[in-house]
Amino acid sequence: MTDFVQVSTATESRGQAVELARTAVRDRLAAGAQVVGPVTSVFWHNGEFGTGEEWQLLLKTTTDRYPQLEKHLVDHHPWTNPEVCATPITSGAERCLQWIRSSTTPTD
């Protein structure tokens, strides 16, 4: 099992994605985040097929901090049932991985 994950979610506006990124990184739940978009999404939702424009949010964290990050994203997301997925980071530059670890270590 890897010690690091990249977490993704999406929002309907850039501002919503930036605010989720800002609060997650501020609270040391993620080391950093990128807001990408707009992106086109194709999906099934509530039994209906649809497409839409969204802003993707990608965050890097440790597997230890993931549960708190997931809770933060779900609790503060504008959608009732947001997509929140974690993908293992199986390898990376050692200095980058150390940055993720040190940036997500609680200070209190």
Side-chain angles (χ1 to χ4, degrees), residues 24-25 28-33 59-62 96 99-104:
V25 173
R28 301 181 83 79
L29 302 173
L59 307 105
K60 270 72 63 197
T61 194
T62 62
C96 177
W99 165 73
I100 296 171
R101 181 177 284 113
S102 65
S103 296
T104 57

Side-chain angles (χ1 to χ4, degrees), residues 24-51:
V25 173
R26 178 200 65 203
D27 293 349
R28 301 181 83 79
L29 302 173
Q34 290 81 38
V35 174
V36 182
V39 297
T40 300
S41 294
V42 180
F43 52 85
W44 282 98
H45 182 70
N46 292 330
E48 295 184 21
F49 180 77
T51 61

Side-chain angles (χ1 to χ4, degrees), residues 46-104:
N46 292 330
E48 295 184 21
F49 180 77
T51 61
E53 186 175 278
E54 299 176 338
W55 291 81
Q56 187 175 37
L57 175 57
L58 303 172
L59 307 105
K60 270 72 63 197
T61 194
T62 62
T63 53
D64 288 343
R65 293 295 273 168
Y66 174 77
Q68 293 92 359
L69 176 58
E70 179 188 293
K71 180 175 182 354
H72 177 83
L73 293 173
V74 170
D75 288 351
H76 295 91
H77 203 287
W79 296 339
T80 305
N81 185 28
E83 172 188 328
V84 177
C85 297
T87 303
I89 299 173
T90 58
S91 60
E94 186 54 40
R95 289 164 99 183
C96 177
L97 299 178
Q98 180 54 40
W99 165 73
I100 296 171
R101 181 177 284 113
S102 65
S103 296
T104 57

